[in-house]
Amino acid sequence: MFRIQLILSLTLLALSKPAAAEALSVVNVGAPAINCVFDTSCTVFVTDSSATIPLPGASGTARLQTRTFTGATGAPAQGYYGYEYVVDLTNATGITHIPCVQSLRVSFGPVPSFQYNGTGPTDQVYVVTAGGSGTIGLSSANKVGNEITFTFATPVCAGGSPGTGKRSFFFGLASASAPTAVTAVVVSSGTSLSIGARAPIHDKCTSGVPLSPAPDPCVSLVCAADAYCCNSSWDNRCVGQVRTVCGSLTCSESDGTCGHSLCTPGASLVNHCDSAKADCVSEICAVDPFCCSVSWDSLCVEKVGSVCGKNCG
């Protein structure tokens, strides 16, 4: 009895343990040199949008600006989307006190690495400290799940009179996914304030905002079966339906305890490792034991379709 209670306690502790934060690498860069990562001409064509930060105790305008652009053919970030943010309290004035913004949190998803500062290892986040506006950079960028918290080196504060507030430098990163409207969060003196922004739209394997039925045929199938996924939220149930409705094993949801996706060549997989989900590994290894004893090679991946009747799309 004691052993059962101990196991249950350890299980509950593991489930309640928060996801570990991933520290993203941050480098300082200059403009227009940073544009060369996204366009061989070192010039990018941007789309700007801004939203008012509902900053308590301030008059005037506090705003978050989002800037997006696309990686052009031939550039290091070809096919990727660039995202830059700036917190601007230049025209915000404190009334009874001077309010400040300490951090910005955005649901962003996977972050690729590029050679932003032209030296050393590749990086994930850059801060435009030269050739642009602003005075405040980042002390850190930490990712937990799909969310990134950008913490400023010093708080971005309103002014004591109009036009004397602070402004952050532009800070940016890239994504393989196109922009969509999201709700971000700024933190001011421990208070979380919701604000509009733009960030990458997530893929069908990640929960988040509702997806558009086009152009992914699987998303269309899921939304035809469950309109909630395209009208309200693409939640974990919608992610599961990528497997159950589309027959696709491309999402990690399908993997069970397998060491890697059935759709990716790699080390041999343990028989029945996906039995709680797709239950495809046992079928493949029954006809080709090599896949569970030596290597899960490209022929094993092909059998996802020919043996299991599933797909990797």
Side-chain angles (χ1 to χ4, degrees), residues 49-53 61-65 86-89 167 195:
S49 63
S50 64
T52 300
I53 302 173
T61 303
R63 67 190 183 103
L64 170 68
Q65 181 179 346
V86 62
V87 170
D88 185 0
L89 271 59
R167 173 186 170 101
I195 181 173

Side-chain angles (χ1 to χ4, degrees), residues 84-307:
E84 292 183 349
Y85 302 97
V86 62
V87 170
D88 185 0
L89 271 59
T90 304
N91 295 312
T93 306
I95 301 174
T96 58
H97 68 287
I98 302 298
C100 302
V101 171
Q102 288 81 32
S103 63
L104 168 70
R105 186 171 75 247
V106 182
S107 181
F108 198 89
V111 181
S113 298
F114 290 100
Q115 183 55 264
Y116 288 127
N117 64 350
T119 184
T122 56
D123 302 289
Q124 295 161 300
V125 179
Y126 61 87
V127 183
V128 186
T129 58
S133 59
T135 58
I136 298 173
L138 298 177
S139 64
S140 64
N142 291 312
K143 186 172 183 289
V144 178
N146 287 318
E147 292 195 329
I148 301 174
T149 297
F150 302 97
T151 302
F152 296 108
T154 60
V156 183
C157 297
S161 59
T164 62
K166 299 297 184 181
R167 173 186 170 101
S168 75
F169 293 119
F170 274 101
F171 53 96
L173 64 174
S175 172
S177 298
T180 190
V182 301
T183 299
V185 174
V186 297
V187 175
S188 175
S189 301
T191 301
S192 296
L193 307 171
S194 297
I195 181 173
R198 285 186 296 148
I201 191 165
H202 58 87
D203 62 21
K204 61 177 178 279
C205 294
T206 306
S207 59
V209 298
L211 292 180
S212 170
D216 191 321
C218 177
V219 173
S220 298
L221 288 173
V222 170
C223 290
D226 187 350
Y228 180 89
C229 300
C230 283
N231 293 336
S232 300
S233 173
W234 189 272
D235 58 16
N236 289 333
R237 181 181 57 185
C238 305
V239 173
Q241 288 176 141
V242 171
R243 170 176 53 86
T244 59
V245 173
C246 303
S248 172
L249 304 187
T250 190
C251 300
S252 60
E253 182 274 343
S254 302
D255 298 345
T257 62
C258 298
H260 60 81
S261 170
L262 279 65
C263 294
T264 305
S268 60
L269 293 179
V270 176
N271 208 338
H272 299 290
C273 61
D274 66 336
S275 59
K277 298 294 182 179
D279 202 18
C280 177
V281 171
S282 60
E283 292 184 48
I284 291 175
C285 289
V287 299
D288 191 350
F290 181 92
C291 302
C292 282
S293 61
V294 182
S295 173
W296 191 271
D297 60 14
S298 59
L299 295 178
C300 304
V301 173
E302 289 178 7
K303 290 180 174 65
V304 168
S306 60
V307 173

